[in-house]
Amino acid sequence: PHSGVRMLRPLTVFGYDDAPHGHAELEFENVRVPATNVLLGVGRGFEIAQGRLGPGRLHHCMRAIGLGERALAMAIVRGSTRKAFGRPLAVLSADKIAEARVQLDTARMAVLSAAAELDARGNKDAKASLAIAKVVAPRAALFAIDSAIQIFGGAGVSQDALLASFYAGMRTLRLADGPDEVHLSTIAKVEMKKWRSRL
């Protein structure tokens, strides 16, 4: 611990405790960073953070797709072994299963496209593709998780199925590294800029 930095309390997310790697409320009082510890220069912290955000966002997106895939697999297994009205729940929920597959594959393609553009053009020039991936991937995962919850019924929102925990983590990801609204604004600005010279 450093002088002037105090953890006030650990924070839960949707009631889940992520300790020891989760979130906390911190207090900073008269904290000074020694000159030898300053990276790039005074006042350049935002620039450093922005430099890692592109690859970091894609990492979040890949994890989101993986979690969505796990939820979809759980939904199919559960739906194949449980029946309602004499028919497997997977058959009754075929539209949810199909839509989850469409959304997860769409997200995967968006992430692959953003990664290729990031490699070829760098963070700044790939910002629209990165923003698209960051919006699409958590939404796709949330759809798959929510569909699995529906197929699991009451068990889906209990601690037994893990789906409630998946949902809490994924819903939080729509805020991490910038909320959807910021990414949508970035996408819109880039899109409108393409057309300015043509109007």
Side-chain angles (χ1 to χ4, degrees):
H2 295 283
S3 175
V5 179
R6 192 164 65 104
M7 185 183 88
L8 300 179
R9 64 190 174 121
L11 299 174
T12 61
V13 177
F14 282 105
Y16 288 97
D17 179 10
D18 286 333
H21 59 275
H23 303 84
E25 181 180 351
L26 303 175
E27 178 181 77
F28 298 89
E29 188 174 328
N30 298 319
V31 175
R32 308 276 307 164
V33 176
T36 54
N37 293 358
V38 174
L39 303 175
L40 278 187
V42 174
R44 297 183 71 186
F46 184 74
E47 180 183 345
I48 294 168
Q50 287 299 108
R52 70 147 285 280
L53 279 177
R57 286 177 178 141
L58 285 183
H59 177 255
H60 284 315
C61 292
M62 289 183 274
R63 287 179 33 248
I65 293 166
L67 200 59
E69 290 287 353
R70 184 169 176 198
L72 180 57
M74 290 169 67
I76 292 169
V77 169
R78 174 79 169 195
S80 298
T81 59
R82 307 282 291 209
K83 290 184 177 184
F85 309 108
R87 299 171 67 198
L89 290 176
V91 172
L92 296 172
S93 302
D95 59 333
K96 289 186 183 306
I97 291 168
E99 182 62 31
R101 169 53 53 219
V102 168
Q103 289 193 31
L104 289 170
D105 282 0
T106 299
R108 183 176 287 106
M109 292 300 108
V111 170
L112 287 170
S113 176
E117 193 170 349
L118 180 64
D119 283 347
R121 300 176 60 209
N123 236 0
K124 189 174 179 183
D125 289 336
K127 67 182 173 184
S129 294
L130 291 166
I132 290 167
K134 179 58 174 60
V135 169
V136 169
R139 286 182 180 182
L142 279 168
F143 183 86
I145 295 164
D146 189 62
S147 297
I149 289 171
Q150 284 299 113
I151 291 170
F152 269 72
V157 292
S158 76
Q159 71 273 21
D160 294 344
L162 296 177
L163 293 167
S165 173
F166 291 179
Y167 190 90
M170 235 0 76
R171 182 59 186 87
T172 304
L173 188 54
R174 289 189 56 207
L175 299 170
D177 289 347
D180 286 5
E181 292 78 5
V182 170
H183 297 298
L184 292 168
S185 177
T186 297
I187 296 162
K189 285 176 189 170
V190 170
E191 204 58 32
M192 289 186 281
K193 187 177 178 182
K194 289 179 195 175
W195 285 92
R196 258 188 219 125
S197 61
R198 301 179 196 181
L199 298 175

